[in-house]
Amino acid sequence: QVRLVESGGGLVQAGGSLRLSCVASGRTFSINGMAWFRQAPGKERERVASINWSITRTSYADSVKGRFTISRDKAMNTVYLQMNSLKPEDTAVYYCAAKSSSLVLYDYWGQGTQVTVSS
């Protein structure tokens, strides 16, 4: 059982920056990796960025490479998503997720935090 609490969403103008945070609690020792997903209205969920929990191996969606950075504070069981040069198309509900094994899908999810980028 892992619980995730997200924060940092809000309204920002195009070109601005925003930093999302996700704090994990519970059986955090079982976490294999964490990720940020996003879902815009009428569109399917997509993975934005992911990070291995033991080592800082990261991956990004092509749409955010060079603009977004995922990082972690292992001691605080926290993962961050630094979003720079935001675009209106980045507008979505952003979800924090965690997985207990590299062989399974992400099995723990946060409530989501709204990110709105205005032009």
Side-chain angles (χ1 to χ4, degrees):
Q1 184 73 229
V2 175
R3 292 184 292 184
L4 306 174
V5 180
E6 303 148 326
S7 63
L11 175 65
V12 65
Q13 294 186 21
S17 298
L18 209 59
R19 190 190 194 196
L20 306 183
S21 300
C22 176
V23 180
S25 62
R27 300 175 68 251
T28 57
F29 63 88
S30 67
I31 294 177
N32 175 261
M34 296 184 70
W36 288 97
F37 290 77
R38 69 184 181 186
Q39 186 168 26
K43 295 183 172 60
E44 294 186 356
R45 182 185 65 195
E46 65 172 337
R47 183 161 62 184
V48 176
S50 61
I51 185 168
N52 183 278
W53 200 241
S54 298
I55 60 175
T56 55
R57 184 176 67 233
T58 61
S59 64
Y60 298 91
D62 289 341
S63 60
V64 306
K65 285 182 179 178
R67 300 189 298 119
F68 291 10
T69 303
I70 187 170
S71 62
R72 64 178 175 87
D73 184 336
K74 192 172 183 179
M76 298 296 293
N77 294 316
T78 303
V79 66
Y80 305 94
L81 184 67
Q82 178 67 46
M83 304 183 292
N84 298 325
S85 302
L86 283 163
K87 305 174 181 179
E89 50 262 45
D90 294 319
T91 296
V93 177
Y94 284 70
Y95 297 91
C96 178
K99 64 193 302 184
S100 58
S101 172
S102 62
L103 302 178
V104 301
L105 299 175
Y106 287 88
D107 40 5
Y108 303 103
W109 296 84
Q111 296 181 8
T113 183
Q114 176 70 46
V115 172
T116 302
V117 184
S118 64
S119 59

